[in-house]
Amino acid sequence: MAVNQAIFRNKTRSGNKVEFLTKITFLGIGLMGEPMVRRLLQAGLPVHAWNRTFSKAERLAAEGAVAVPHLAEAVHEADIVISMLEAGPVVSAVIDDALPLLRPGALWIDMSSTRQSEAEEFHTRLAAAGCRFVDAPVSGGVGGAQAGTLAIMAGGSEADIDYARPAFEAMGRVTRVGPAGAGQVSKLCNQLIVGGTINIVAEALLLAQAAGADPAAVRAAIRGGFAESRILEVHGQRMLERNFLPGGQVATQLKDQHNILAAAAAAGIALPVTSLVTERYESIRDLYPQADHAAALLALERLNPGQRVGDAPDQLPTA
């Protein structure tokens, strides 16, 4: 994907080669972080990569990343720091360690999924230290990260989001949804719809099977109508193939479900369907934590002993 790199400050030209002196540091080289860094590198952006397990960052060195073993070295003199970490408490701990080392004016972009209150607190802490903050969680899963088609929901000032636009556009499509913290609200709305729809698709396929119809044919028949969705397309196929190898994980979806309910409580509203979806994921949390969230089908089948969609063997992560 072509990006408008011209807005990055500090640019020099050597012959026909343009060198961008802006230092981008990416923290968290996991299931999503690794393909996101690859997209940044493919767009010609300079990336320093850090992960607590250094070997994960080191894998990207052959593609042009500067793999850095120590957090202090990674964030030193960084213009943009992007974090893609497990959860809010992990992001908080990394910010604690990095904060004394950040240069004034550095922009921290947290692309992890956290609570709105956590994102707002990160913004307050970084602003007090003379730094900037954008919360920019994503949707699209590993496939979207690999293709550079992530939906990026950014909370922060327009100026800060525009400053980082070349990095955002290398990874997907960015939309400003409000001030700091609003990105996480948008992501929670996204995950509310994703989690609920996955469970509804599972119920539809199990009903088709149990009532004597061909679930694959039912899925094909209703596609193109009002029930069509990306979830029916992607996760419906996963369920038919019984492919529960992780894209989005059960543990991650459950974390998001709890964050949704926390946001609802803070806003003073009840979300009864989301509460039920959360219970479904909680029922398989200990059995299949690393399975894809399409494993909602397995939770449903446990609720209906003797009923099963298809006869293919389950594909599940080994660890």
Side-chain angles (χ1 to χ4, degrees):
M1 179 182 294
V3 297
N4 176 17
Q5 296 172 323
I7 68 167
F8 271 94
R9 64 176 184 83
N10 293 341
K11 181 174 67 174
T12 62
R13 183 174 295 276
S14 174
N16 294 324
K17 181 181 178 182
V18 177
E19 297 178 354
F20 294 92
L21 303 184
T22 296
K23 177 180 176 181
I24 301 173
T25 291
F26 200 105
L27 310 177
I29 314 301
L31 202 62
M32 291 289 289
E34 182 171 339
M36 291 166 74
V37 171
R38 292 183 193 279
R39 295 300 306 188
L40 293 169
L41 294 170
Q42 288 163 14
L45 301 177
V47 182
H48 286 61
W50 175 87
N51 196 78
R52 289 194 188 279
T53 303
F54 177 58
S55 59
K56 293 184 177 181
E58 207 170 18
R59 286 200 298 261
L60 294 166
E63 297 181 44
V66 178
V68 184
H70 303 297
L71 180 64
E73 182 184 354
V75 302
H76 178 67
E77 290 300 314
D79 298 285
I80 296 174
V81 177
I82 301 173
S83 52
M84 188 62 171
L85 300 166
E86 181 182 357
V90 179
V91 178
S92 181
V94 171
I95 289 176
D96 276 344
D97 291 341
L99 202 54
L101 308 165
L102 294 175
R103 70 164 188 81
L107 173 60
W108 191 296
I109 302 171
D110 183 37
M111 305 189 79
S112 320
S113 293
T114 71
R115 296 189 178 192
Q116 178 187 8
S117 59
E118 291 171 325
E120 291 170 342
E121 194 255 338
F122 301 154
H123 173 255
T124 298
R125 285 160 58 191
L126 285 157
C131 297
R132 299 174 289 160
F133 177 77
V134 169
D135 63 306
V138 303
S139 179
V142 175
Q146 293 169 338
T149 57
L150 292 171
I152 304 169
M153 298 150 273
S157 75
E158 290 184 10
D160 289 343
I161 292 167
D162 282 343
Y163 175 77
R165 193 168 294 276
F168 285 136
E169 291 182 350
M171 296 181 284
R173 175 181 55 85
V174 63
T175 303
R176 181 179 183 267
V177 293
Q184 295 302 337
V185 174
S186 183
K187 175 61 184 286
L188 293 179
C189 293
N190 179 86
Q191 292 306 94
L192 184 157
I193 294 169
V194 168
T197 307
I198 286 175
N199 278 266
I200 290 297
V201 169
E203 291 189 8
L205 295 180
L206 188 66
L207 173 61
Q209 180 85 50
D214 178 349
V218 168
R219 172 177 169 274
I222 63 178
R223 291 192 63 193
F226 278 178
E228 177 65 289
S229 70
R230 184 70 172 156
I231 299 295
L232 181 63
E233 176 190 350
V234 174
H235 292 289
Q237 186 63 33
R238 273 182 167 272
M239 292 174 192
L240 292 171
E241 295 172 354
R242 304 194 69 84
N243 174 10
F244 305 115
L245 298 175
Q249 297 179 328
V250 166
T252 302
Q253 183 68 47
L254 185 56
K255 178 199 70 175
D256 291 338
Q257 295 295 134
H258 288 153
N259 287 346
I260 293 164
L261 294 176
I269 62 171
L271 300 177
V273 173
T274 298
S275 296
L276 291 173
V277 170
T278 303
E279 291 176 8
R280 295 288 79 233
Y281 281 113
E282 284 177 340
S283 73
I284 56 171
R285 168 178 48 195
D286 296 332
L287 292 170
Y288 312 112
Q290 296 180 343
D292 189 85
H293 46 186
L297 177 64
L298 299 178
L300 181 63
E301 289 171 348
R302 287 172 58 82
L303 197 63
N304 293 276
Q307 299 292 343
R308 190 177 190 273
V309 173
D311 55 10
D314 290 342
Q315 301 175 56
L316 288 162
T318 55

